[in-house]
Amino acid sequence: MNTKAPFSLYIHWPFCSKKCHYCEFVALEQHEDYQEAYHKSLLKEINLYAQSLEGKGHISTIFIGGGTPSLYDTEWMEELFATLHHNFDLSDTSEIAMESNPADITEEKLDAWLELGINRLSIGVQVLDDDILFKLNRRQRTRDVLNAMRIAPKYFENISADLILGLPEVSQATWDYTIQEAMSWPLKHISMYFLTVHEKTPLYFGVQRGDIKLASETEIVENYKKTVDIFAQHGFEQYETSNYAKPGYTSIHNQAYWERKPYKG
């Protein structure tokens, strides 16, 4: 990587209090005892990487993903950002994004994240049905999502919601309700992913046993087309396979990957 060129930075927080049954990411459930050691190791790695550069590196975008970054202790996050500012030039950093679980979102946390310089919040919604969320081992409930969407706009203008199309047992009425609600929120971006059944996940084994029935491809495709049309009617333009944004609000960090720009993870 050209150390003189601006680069994007991805920071992984691999901890979850509960791991979703469809998840194949590096996400550790109930490993709280390891969090402080990981945090200190992360700071050490940032320092070591900065020392390997010729001069102070310029960061163009930052994305904090997981896992569940909204579980990252606020005081530790302050240390993280202090370390970043000490080692790198963030004066031209256009986007600092973070993933979050709706159950973690409070006004106190929103204010702290904003103070750190985070300017884009990605909220994991998936679907608005408590029974389905419970069966998927998701921690949030519909009330958490609605509360997050009520208070987050007080602090953040650039809010994205994640949805998953094709989750088991989602009725047409449930999906229609989810999309109807989403269109009422002050979102600037939506990521709508197709459900992928990854091997060795609880979802995979449930499907293999026949305990979990998935929607047909025809149903999923029809819902996809219908939903994309609704997004377009509300001003969301599709700019990537699974991503839709209001004009001027595409994910700058994700586009850096697509455009093969330099990044460090």
Side-chain angles (χ1 to χ4, degrees):
M1 184 169 73
N2 179 2
T3 57
K4 297 294 184 183
F7 65 95
S8 291
L9 183 67
Y10 174 80
I11 297 172
H12 192 64
W13 184 253
F15 301 102
C16 295
S17 57
K18 296 176 73 174
K19 187 169 182 177
C20 305
H21 285 171
Y22 52 79
C23 179
E24 67 150 0
F25 296 136
V26 178
L28 308 174
E29 184 179 36
Q30 297 180 354
H31 279 59
E32 286 79 5
D33 291 345
Y34 295 90
Q35 290 186 10
E36 186 172 8
Y38 178 88
H39 165 70
K40 289 179 178 178
S41 296
L42 182 60
L43 299 186
K44 184 177 180 180
E45 182 178 356
I46 291 169
N47 285 321
L48 289 172
Y49 178 67
Q51 291 169 20
S52 74
L53 301 179
E54 298 174 6
K56 212 168 189 181
H58 288 248
I59 297 179
S60 54
T61 64
I62 299 172
F63 192 97
I64 307 172
T68 311
S70 50
L71 291 175
Y72 206 151
D73 181 84
T74 301
E75 289 187 9
W76 293 348
M77 286 189 76
E78 290 172 356
E79 291 181 354
L80 170 68
F81 275 85
T83 302
L84 290 173
H85 282 283
H86 175 74
N87 286 288
F88 304 108
D89 187 338
L90 274 63
S91 60
D92 294 323
T93 305
S94 57
E95 182 181 276
I96 303 178
M98 189 182 81
E99 295 178 334
S100 61
N101 184 299
D104 299 326
I105 293 178
T106 63
E107 299 222 22
E108 183 180 20
K109 282 190 174 183
L110 290 166
D111 186 55
W113 296 337
L114 189 65
E115 283 292 312
L116 291 172
I118 294 168
N119 57 15
R120 183 177 187 270
L121 192 65
S122 178
I123 301 177
V125 175
Q126 320 316 353
V127 71
L128 296 178
D129 185 296
D130 287 355
D131 186 50
I132 292 169
L133 291 168
F134 175 78
K135 289 178 180 178
L136 293 170
N137 210 35
R138 288 288 297 180
R139 189 157 46 91
Q140 92 258 16
R141 296 295 175 261
T142 297
R143 66 176 181 273
D144 298 315
V145 176
L146 299 180
N147 180 63
M149 292 302 176
R150 178 181 62 83
I151 63 176
K154 298 179 185 180
Y155 300 86
F156 290 88
E157 182 201 16
N158 194 353
I159 300 173
S160 178
D162 286 358
L163 305 173
I164 299 180
L165 182 60
L167 290 169
E169 299 183 23
V170 175
S171 68
Q172 188 62 53
T174 294
W175 184 254
D176 290 345
Y177 167 68
T178 300
I179 299 306
Q180 180 183 352
E181 283 295 306
M183 293 301 96
S184 73
W185 301 331
L187 301 174
K188 295 296 189 290
H189 187 280
I190 297 173
S191 294
M192 181 175 68
Y193 303 103
F194 289 99
L195 176 68
T196 302
V197 181
H198 297 285
E199 290 189 7
K200 299 182 180 179
T201 60
L203 175 64
Y204 170 81
F205 291 120
V207 172
Q208 290 294 102
R209 290 192 303 268
D211 299 336
I212 297 174
K213 300 290 190 297
L214 300 176
S216 70
E217 289 187 4
T218 300
E219 290 176 291
I220 293 172
V221 168
E222 288 177 354
N223 249 342
Y224 170 77
K225 291 178 179 178
K226 175 183 175 182
T227 305
V228 170
D229 286 343
I230 294 172
F231 288 167
Q233 291 165 17
H234 287 82
F236 291 94
E237 301 173 358
Q238 185 173 16
Y239 69 98
E240 287 178 358
T241 306
S242 303
N243 290 295
Y244 309 78
K246 295 285 182 71
Y249 289 93
T250 57
S251 171
I252 303 171
H253 183 89
N254 285 349
Q255 284 183 292
Y257 297 147
W258 282 72
E259 295 168 8
R260 301 180 67 84
K261 292 180 179 179
Y263 71 93
K264 172 68 176 175

